Amino acid sequence: MKALFKTALAAFYPKTCAACGELIGEKEWLCPFCREMIERCDPAKRCNRCGLPKKDCVCKSRLFRFDGCVAPFINEGTARNAMARFKFRGCRGSSRYFAGQMALCVRSVYREIRFDAVCFVPMDPRKEYLRGQNPARLLATELAGLLRLPVDRDALVCTRYTKCAQHDLGFKERQNNVKGLYRCPKEVDGKVFLLVDDIKTSGYTLDACAAELIAAGAEAVFCVTALITYPKKKEKKVQ
Ligand SMILES: [Zn+2]
Ligand SMILES: [Zn+2]
């Protein structure tokens, strides 16, 4: 009966919460519960170099080629559900919301930085064709609009087809999977980039992209992602 009522209601009022699918008002993005629950990163406790909480900072053990990394949300619960829905269904409202929150992070953490362009982690073209979109590209385009910066669409290219998604792999495999995967096909002398991806997990993908941009002459690369994965105890030992 409840399901029937919902279906009938959805016909007139089809907007649903981006995280849980609950019906919501026309101008909302999340239902009140998810809005309350969404897992935000605490800027006061964050290492702005690796993006992790200071107590989990990995900057001493790993040398990242990017100069900074920030994200508005933790890759858990509500934020994770909203991202999964965005990635697999592609929803303009979600990319707008995430990009808006990313813009706030960029404006506060990178306020001293003068960016020349926004670029994004490219997707294996076959995968992008099958999925019909690259979430990183959507976020970068939306974010660049908010920050009034140009998007450099061909700053990075994907050099081969990938066997599986990064998130299905272990730490060591992730490092190997991205080896030689990205390339900067042009000279980008002296440019400062804002590199966008949907989720930062190990940081190997962003690092590989930053390394390519720097090798092609970029002066600096700063990263922003919508979500960041905080380390679990098991993963801490691997580092
Ligand atoms: Zn909800
Ligand atoms: Zn750090």
Side-chain angles (χ1 to χ4, degrees):
M1 190 66 199
K2 199 180 165 197
L4 196 71
F5 176 70
K6 272 192 178 176
T7 318
L9 196 63
F12 299 102
Y13 209 58
K15 188 95 189 280
T16 55
C17 168
C20 72
E22 209 41 58
L23 291 172
I24 51 169
E26 199 46 53
K27 285 183 182 147
E28 312 280 311
W29 180 72
L30 290 173
C31 70
F33 179 75
C34 290
R35 211 164 41 221
E36 189 66 31
M37 294 304 288
I38 196 160
E39 295 77 1
R40 290 180 182 275
C41 295
D42 183 349
K45 292 181 184 161
R46 173 172 55 207
C47 163
N48 288 334
R49 181 85 209 276
C50 64
L52 294 173
K54 281 176 189 156
K55 65 177 175 59
D56 296 315
C57 168
V58 291
C59 295
K60 278 203 178 122
S61 55
R62 263 197 249 157
L63 185 70
F64 290 119
R65 258 71 57 92
F66 49 79
D67 290 275
C69 187
V70 285
F73 302 112
I74 309 167
N75 187 17
E76 284 166 20
T78 302
R80 191 190 179 102
N81 288 344
M83 177 51 77
R85 280 171 172 257
F86 165 55
K87 282 175 83 160
F88 298 104
R89 295 175 198 185
C91 157
R92 184 85 202 275
S94 294
S95 73
R96 260 191 208 149
Y97 180 83
F98 280 128
Q101 298 293 311
M102 289 157 86
L104 293 177
C105 277
V106 171
R107 286 197 190 109
S108 99
V109 179
Y110 301 146
R111 61 187 169 278
E112 311 275 309
I113 317 292
R114 289 199 156 257
F115 291 107
D116 292 294
V118 176
C119 63
F120 53 88
V121 175
M123 195 183 245
D124 160 349
R126 191 177 51 179
K127 221 183 261 174
E128 188 166 346
Y129 175 76
L130 290 174
R131 193 179 275 186
Q133 54 143 339
N134 172 3
R137 180 200 294 268
L138 294 179
L139 292 171
T141 310
E142 204 76 57
L143 179 63
L146 294 171
L147 299 172
R148 294 169 193 271
L149 285 169
V151 187
D152 195 337
R153 282 169 221 286
D154 51 4
L156 288 161
V157 292
C158 202
T159 59
R160 59 180 149 84
Y161 294 141
T162 46
K163 272 178 263 165
C164 44
Q166 272 295 83
H167 59 251
D168 293 332
L169 302 171
F171 260 57
K172 198 81 210 153
E173 293 165 304
R174 278 176 195 190
Q175 203 169 8
N176 292 332
N177 194 41
V178 295
K179 231 174 234 171
L181 181 59
Y182 306 106
R183 208 166 61 80
C184 174
K186 57 183 190 181
E187 298 231 329
V188 288
D189 278 353
K191 282 197 172 170
V192 178
F193 284 100
L194 179 62
L195 173 61
V196 174
D197 204 2
D198 47 10
I199 308 173
K200 172 185 181 272
T201 309
S202 60
Y204 289 128
T205 299
L206 292 169
D207 189 50
C209 289
E212 282 303 307
L213 290 167
I214 293 196
E219 191 185 304
V221 179
F222 295 85
C223 309
V224 61
T225 61
L227 269 55
I228 180 168
T229 306
Y230 281 179
K232 293 185 180 64
K233 274 179 190 133
K234 207 176 79 200
E235 286 187 343
K236 266 189 201 165
K237 284 180 198 157
V238 186
Q239 289 163 18

